[in-house]
Amino acid sequence: MWLLYTTAGAVKISLKNLIASKVRSFLTVLGIVIGVAAVIIIFSVGLSAQELILDQIRNIGSNLIVVIPGGSNDDGPPAAMFGIAITSLTYDDLEELRKKNKLPDVQAAAGYVMGTVKVESDTEDLTRSFLGTTASYIEVENASLEKGRFFTKDEERNMSKVVVLGSTIAKDLFAGRSPLDKVIEIKDQNFTVIGVFKERGSSAMGVTDQDGSVTVPLKTAQKLILGINHLALIRLKAIDEKSIKPLKANIAATLRDQHDIDNPSDDDFTIRDQATALGLVGDITDVLRYFLLAIGIISLIVGGVGIMNIMLIAVSQRIREIGVRRAVGAKRADILVQFIVESITVSLVGGIIGIILGISIAFLAAVIINSMGYNWQFLLSPFSIITAVLISLGIGLIFGVYPATKASKISPMEALRYD
Amino acid sequence: MSKLIQVINLHKTYQTDEVKTLAIRGVSFEIERGEFVAIMGPSGSGKSTLMQMLGLLDQPTKGEYFLTGRNASDLSDDDTANLRNVNIGFVFQSFNLLSKTTVYENVELPLLYDHRKTNAQENRAKILKALKAVDLEHRIDHFSNQLSGGEKQRVAIARALVNDPDLIFADEPTGNLDSKSGTQIMKILQNLNNEGKTIILVTHETQTAKHAKRIIYVVDGKISSDKTTGSRLIAKNGERLK
């Protein structure tokens, strides 16, 4: 009962004191407010950013397996990522991987080459990225066409000069006119536009920005644009998610067979799947989040020191009050509890303001980012709110103990004599 | 029945870095239940120190003090807190009310630290009773800083009374008051004494001390005289203290 009374009384006293000296209280809780707001914002924005990136990856499809030329160890990026041209992956490899009797779990596979090229319509003259790929691109990438058609398997092989435009480049080249059946020049050769892709949006993990690129048949790109025989990468779509793991092993075995490799450490290719990429992105954003969290915690500790300072001042300002309380029967423990509860209350008030501020800022950020055209979700982690509350409670407790102990040790006689 | 207060050869020495102050130098006396004792003496005589030891706010350096037969040196910090809470009431010269707090909350203060089981209803009844004894029921929701000095001291008395203690210490209770308010306070103390409470009044004013039944003179930490008050004053409202 006494504890309840003391607690209720102490909460009341500390709220009264907080309201009584507003400026000082504001400065006292500022550190906690900033720290807690930071924690809330970090978690909210971090969660939303992660969701945005993962959403883009999922957009491409999570059943995808990528084969990149050049070996790598499991953790490091493959050499091809650094722009080093490696020629070990070929069209024959792709053909081999497409064989249903060898790899029945492959739903579709596409080969890719890419680069930058001059693209001209009758009115425009642009430099854009291009993609050379197989007819199976549509199925592998979940791409769809706004109008026209994609090229066929025959066109893929017989060096047809046909092109499918991304939605943005179609506008750039033809400014509202229908591009279908028009002829454009790519690297000074005439190509007939046979289709236009539906707008896809920026794609963080896509091979290229589909909206802004021209897409031509693989052989055409290899021979007529790039003058190469190898592939930049192969993408395979597994029939379902659970077949990814065994499929990767089978792909590796097939390619080793193809390339006459006996020892896996001599592999001249790297196989990655989207799930690994998802995990990697998750890991990176997690690391970022915890780093920012650490900064938030430092700010909270600074806030805690501020609270301790103000509580020490409060103790020395209220020595007489302590004396009176002791004279009318308060035990040392009562005084201790009172000042700890006061410290926790101050800290918690700061924490609550911080939570409100943090949520507001995260929400505002979501509104602004959305208005910039990103599909940014406003996400709040209940974990972050619980953490924020617990942290402010803990800081109030930890940084309240010393001043409260000091207060409880003051002798009633001395406290009553104090002026 | 044991004496309420029994003091045997009490000493109190304050030791600062260089100076040793002998505040109380061998004091012995007894106080029975129902007495009204004034401890008188010039400032610096040690009378406040003596009161603080009697009120269990401080420990003697030497000698023995029995309160209701219990040796004060055997009491723990929590024991003395409980005794101060239940058996002793304090009234101070400077009132010592909590600021930004209502009359009700000030009087309630000792009840917050009462280790016995109490409920809110009982507590409210106790607070009202104590305020009635000092005639301040109409000020119950006022804040302490809205009161006059006399009213503040009456709130302080109500606070001392709320747990119905046997023993009330009043340390220069009229020191900060005008003479009219002072008389009012002395009248309340005399009424409480008539109801059976033991009052120990600390003062340096002869006129105030004369309201007690017995006066103990303290000079230089020793008792110089201890006798029944000759021509005792009975306070009447409206009279001036002097």
Side-chain angles (χ1 to χ4, degrees), chain B residues 8-237:
Chain B
I8 302 161
N9 194 25
L10 210 64
H11 285 75
K12 180 71 187 181
T13 309
Y14 291 110
Q15 179 79 59
T16 54
D17 289 343
E18 285 162 22
V19 191
K20 197 172 174 183
T21 314
L22 304 165
I24 296 293
R25 305 188 286 176
V27 164
S28 304
F29 60 88
E30 289 173 358
I31 293 173
E32 307 274 356
R33 276 170 211 281
E35 280 200 70
F36 190 155
V37 181
I39 298 174
M40 250 200 94
S43 62
S45 59
K47 57 187 190 300
S48 285
T49 305
L50 184 57
M51 187 214 82
Q52 280 165 348
M53 286 189 285
L54 298 180
L56 300 173
L57 292 168
D58 205 356
Q59 296 277 346
T61 321
K62 207 173 101 186
E64 283 182 298
Y65 168 37
F66 294 92
L67 179 68
T68 62
R70 294 172 75 180
N71 193 336
S73 58
D74 295 340
L75 299 171
S76 71
D77 204 68
D78 283 2
D79 290 336
T80 60
N82 283 333
L83 282 167
R84 286 197 300 268
N85 185 245
V86 176
N87 302 93
I88 300 174
F90 288 97
V91 179
F92 302 99
Q93 178 174 1
S94 52
F95 326 129
N96 282 337
L97 300 183
L98 300 184
S99 56
K100 297 171 198 159
T101 309
T102 63
V103 166
Y104 184 92
E105 288 167 327
N106 267 289
V107 178
E108 186 189 26
L109 195 62
L111 301 176
L112 300 182
Y113 300 114
D114 196 335
H115 62 289
R116 300 168 301 184
K117 278 190 177 160
T118 52
N119 64 48
Q121 246 179 335
E122 279 170 24
N123 283 350
R124 193 171 171 83
K126 282 181 178 181
I127 293 161
L128 290 176
K129 192 180 163 212
L131 281 172
K132 194 173 175 174
V134 297
D135 202 19
L136 269 182
E137 299 138 291
H138 59 292
R139 293 290 208 194
I140 190 161
D141 289 323
H142 282 67
F143 282 88
S144 52
N145 54 344
Q146 297 171 323
L147 304 176
S148 71
E151 286 173 325
K152 281 183 186 168
Q153 195 59 296
R154 278 147 67 198
V155 174
I157 294 175
R159 182 177 65 193
L161 285 177
V162 72
N163 248 339
D164 199 21
D166 315 315
L167 180 56
I168 291 174
F169 289 96
D171 187 1
E172 305 273 11
T174 60
N176 283 3
L177 298 178
D178 61 86
S179 56
K180 210 169 153 185
S181 306
T183 307
Q184 227 174 356
I185 298 302
M186 292 319 296
K187 183 173 157 40
I188 291 169
L189 291 178
Q190 285 185 331
N191 285 345
L192 291 170
N193 179 241
N194 291 339
E195 287 163 20
K197 297 206 183 301
T198 311
I199 314 280
I200 296 176
L201 170 72
V202 174
T203 183
H204 68 277
E205 295 165 343
T206 317
Q207 210 62 12
T208 307
K210 276 191 170 175
H211 288 81
K213 291 175 182 166
R214 171 184 168 194
I215 300 177
I216 299 174
Y217 280 93
V218 179
V219 179
D220 288 338
K222 284 181 174 171
I223 293 178
S224 72
S225 84
D226 181 353
K227 51 192 170 191
T228 311
T229 312
S231 59
R232 186 183 182 215
L233 294 174
I234 303 299
K236 290 192 190 103
N237 273 351

Side-chain angles (χ1 to χ4, degrees), chain A residues 149-168:
Chain A
R149 61 176 181 86
F150 201 66
F151 43 80
T152 62
K153 230 170 182 164
D154 288 336
E155 286 165 327
E156 163 195 326
R157 282 166 225 212
N158 64 13
M159 287 202 262
S160 296
K161 292 187 193 172
V162 291
V163 61
V164 177
L165 302 178
S167 58
T168 320

